[in-house]
Amino acid sequence: MHCILSLALSLLIFQQAAQANESWLVKAECRNAMVPVTCMKCLDADHRTAGASNAAGVATIVVDCASKHTDNLVGEMSQLAAANHDKVLVKALEDCCKLLANAKKELAAACQKIDKGDFDGADQSVDSAFNYGVQCHSELDEALKESKADVPSLPTKVMSEMKVHEELCEAAMRMIERLK
């Protein structure tokens, strides 16, 4: 009986030590990503974080989080384009949807490359996704300057989502860079 109790206690201690180590890993990766708040929000929202045992796993979760934000942005921009009558703004929103579709493809490719250990390729894919997002952001900024429409929700909601997308891509690139 003493042996079983001792074994159970040892397993409990080992499990707590493993969880503490995983928590330390996640926090360290986010601190090094230069956008710790955005990074931790992403990781806290994903159920896989608790089981992430290495930096590649954490990077994959962050890339997936950026991909989900990309989906959200495309949906929001599609709705705004459908509801808007300003041609300049509608064109920019439609162009952004195309750019972000390309970003989504690059983020999916990055996850596959991380899984294969192709960290240079993963870094290039996330960099491409980041650049698509930046290009979209720039086009929206220009369209808002030229637009005659009053779109108060665009600058606040969509632009903040754009910033989160960019920060998650930056975080993923920093994490992947350390894997090389």
Side-chain angles (χ1 to χ4, degrees):
M1 182 64 154
H2 177 66
C3 186
I4 293 172
L5 186 58
S6 179
L7 178 62
L9 186 59
S10 294
L11 286 173
L12 181 62
I13 291 170
F14 177 74
Q15 181 182 17
Q16 288 176 341
Q19 287 173 343
N21 190 31
E22 289 165 2
S23 176
W24 174 86
L25 171 68
V26 168
K27 288 177 183 171
E29 287 298 319
C30 281
R31 243 189 332 275
N32 289 331
M34 304 301 285
V35 284
V37 173
T38 303
C39 182
M40 283 306 297
K41 282 183 183 179
C42 160
L43 292 169
D44 285 343
D46 195 297
H47 69 280
R48 296 174 297 169
T49 301
S53 59
N54 59 39
V58 175
T60 299
I61 295 168
V62 174
V63 171
D64 281 344
C65 196
S67 183
K68 288 175 188 169
H69 275 276
T70 303
D71 285 340
N72 292 342
L73 278 166
V74 169
E76 290 172 18
M77 288 182 189
S78 295
Q79 287 177 354
L80 284 169
N84 202 298
H85 300 294
D86 184 286
K87 290 179 182 179
V88 172
L89 189 56
V90 169
K91 181 177 179 343
L93 289 165
E94 289 172 347
D95 287 350
C96 273
C97 287
K98 292 173 188 171
L99 289 166
L100 293 172
N102 289 332
K104 172 97 173 147
K105 289 176 189 172
E106 290 292 344
L107 293 169
C111 286
Q112 293 173 347
K113 291 172 183 176
I114 291 170
D115 287 344
K116 293 177 182 175
D118 178 8
F119 302 122
D120 285 327
D123 192 35
Q124 290 172 351
S125 290
V126 176
D127 185 53
S128 293
F130 173 80
N131 288 325
Y132 284 126
V134 169
Q135 186 178 348
C136 169
H137 200 152
S138 178
E139 285 189 29
L140 283 176
D141 284 342
E142 285 301 312
L144 285 170
K145 289 176 188 171
E146 294 177 29
S147 175
K148 305 215 184 327
D150 181 29
V151 191
S153 64
L154 182 65
T156 55
K157 185 163 182 157
V158 171
M159 294 308 220
S160 68
E161 280 287 323
M162 289 297 306
K163 182 180 177 192
V164 170
H165 174 270
E166 292 166 12
E167 287 180 355
L168 289 170
C169 286
E170 286 179 36
M173 286 187 289
R174 288 184 180 277
M175 289 177 185
I176 294 166
E177 182 67 34
R178 285 190 307 280
L179 293 169
K180 293 180 186 182

